[in-house]
Amino acid sequence: GAGVSQSPSNKVTEKGKDVELRCDPISGHTALYWYRQSLGQGLEFLIYFQGNSAPDKSGLPSDRFSAERTGGSVSTLTIQRTQQEDSAVYLCASSLFRQGNEQFFGPGTRLTVL
Amino acid sequence: AQKVTQAQTEISVVEKEDVTLDCVYETRDTTYYLFWYKQPPSGELVFLIRRNSFDEQNEISGRYSWNFQKSTSSFNFTITASQVVDSAVYFCALSEEGTGRRALTFGSGTRLQVQP
């Protein structure tokens, strides 16, 4: 079946602009995660959605970052007033909601802030 | 707080050599899961294995094997008879069930280069 998909694959933006990154999880996966991978910080957790529960936003680095998940499926990560330090690969993952279920990752969106 | 340490930043071996990637973790939770992921040059993270905190049995899958030791908080990964296609960055990760924190905490990764 189809894996996790993300769009766009690459995004170049100017400092101060807003960007939206999209994630389509695997069908039937109720848990969805956003991570960020950068050279200096490695792989960092950003936010986690599970069903209709309130999301775990504990990893969001600032209030410029937000995410939503509509209809329990597609998710959008929004970064407002982008800064150069936001440049990274943004990874989305999904999983079934069972203890210890492996997360399946998308190909990522490479964000470059000029 | 949870933490995963992969002390080896980069390892280079010649094809057919065996190689072990180290992973040490810290957690206060009694119920947790450990994972290994592979990130080839294409960039997509690929799941390799999951182990829960109650199962210390070692596991072998083809040329891959994993050694989980709670006494030393380690979950090491061995590739036997390495091949060029094994060249990738390998990440060890932890999720805690007791705290409900199911997000993965990753180590910094080990870059493995297998030379022909």
Side-chain angles (χ1 to χ4, degrees):
Chain A
V4 177
S5 61
Q6 293 185 244
S7 61
S9 55
N10 279 286
K11 177 71 177 179
V12 180
T13 190
E14 293 179 349
K15 178 182 172 181
K17 295 283 179 72
D18 297 352
V19 296
E20 283 189 353
L21 313 179
R22 177 187 168 103
C23 171
D24 281 275
I26 293 172
S27 177
H29 281 190
T30 56
L32 186 148
Y33 308 77
W34 283 97
Y35 295 87
R36 177 169 73 173
Q37 185 172 24
S38 58
L39 279 176
Q41 301 298 323
L43 272 157
E44 305 172 275
F45 162 70
L46 296 176
I47 188 169
Y48 159 53
F49 295 90
Q50 169 49 41
N52 295 320
S53 302
D56 175 357
K57 304 179 182 180
S58 60
L60 294 178
S62 78
D63 58 9
R64 295 186 296 104
F65 288 72
S66 63
E68 63 177 20
R69 188 177 185 191
T70 54
S73 181
V74 171
S75 177
T76 302
L77 177 69
T78 301
I79 308 174
Q80 296 178 309
R81 304 181 303 282
T82 52
Q83 303 294 313
Q84 288 184 331
E85 61 262 28
D86 299 334
S87 296
V89 177
Y90 289 82
L91 295 166
C92 176
S94 70
S95 74
L96 294 170
F97 188 66
R98 287 199 303 262
Q99 274 199 351
N101 264 316
E102 62 269 31
Q103 296 176 24
F104 294 89
F105 284 79
T109 294
R110 181 175 297 277
L111 174 66
T112 304
V113 182
L114 302 177
Chain B
Q2 67 280 4
K3 184 178 178 182
V4 177
T5 301
Q6 294 179 256
Q8 303 151 310
T9 305
E10 187 162 345
I11 300 175
S12 183
V13 299
V14 177
E15 210 170 17
K16 298 185 183 176
E17 283 186 31
D18 298 347
V19 58
T20 295
L21 310 181
D22 298 333
C23 173
V24 174
Y25 62 93
E26 295 177 28
T27 177
R28 294 180 181 175
D29 206 342
T30 56
T31 305
Y32 54 90
Y33 289 80
L34 295 162
F35 302 80
W36 277 95
Y37 282 84
K38 174 182 180 179
Q39 189 174 42
S42 61
E44 198 156 336
L45 279 163
V46 177
F47 166 77
L48 295 178
I49 191 171
R50 170 191 62 226
R51 174 66 68 219
N52 74 52
S53 52
F54 299 108
D55 181 5
E56 286 193 72
Q57 278 191 334
N58 292 332
E59 181 153 340
I60 297 175
S61 175
R63 296 184 297 105
Y64 295 170
S65 62
W66 290 269
N67 184 335
F68 175 33
Q69 292 193 342
K70 286 180 75 171
S71 60
T72 55
S73 297
S74 64
F75 186 43
N76 297 337
F77 173 29
T78 297
I79 301 175
T80 303
S82 59
Q83 300 176 0
V84 173
V85 294
D86 296 327
S87 297
V89 181
Y90 291 85
F91 291 94
C92 181
L94 165 75
S95 73
E96 297 173 323
E97 292 299 327
T99 60
R101 180 181 170 80
R102 297 193 171 185
L104 294 172
T105 297
F106 286 90
S108 54
T110 296
R111 180 178 299 277
L112 174 65
Q113 293 193 337
V114 182
Q115 308 289 347

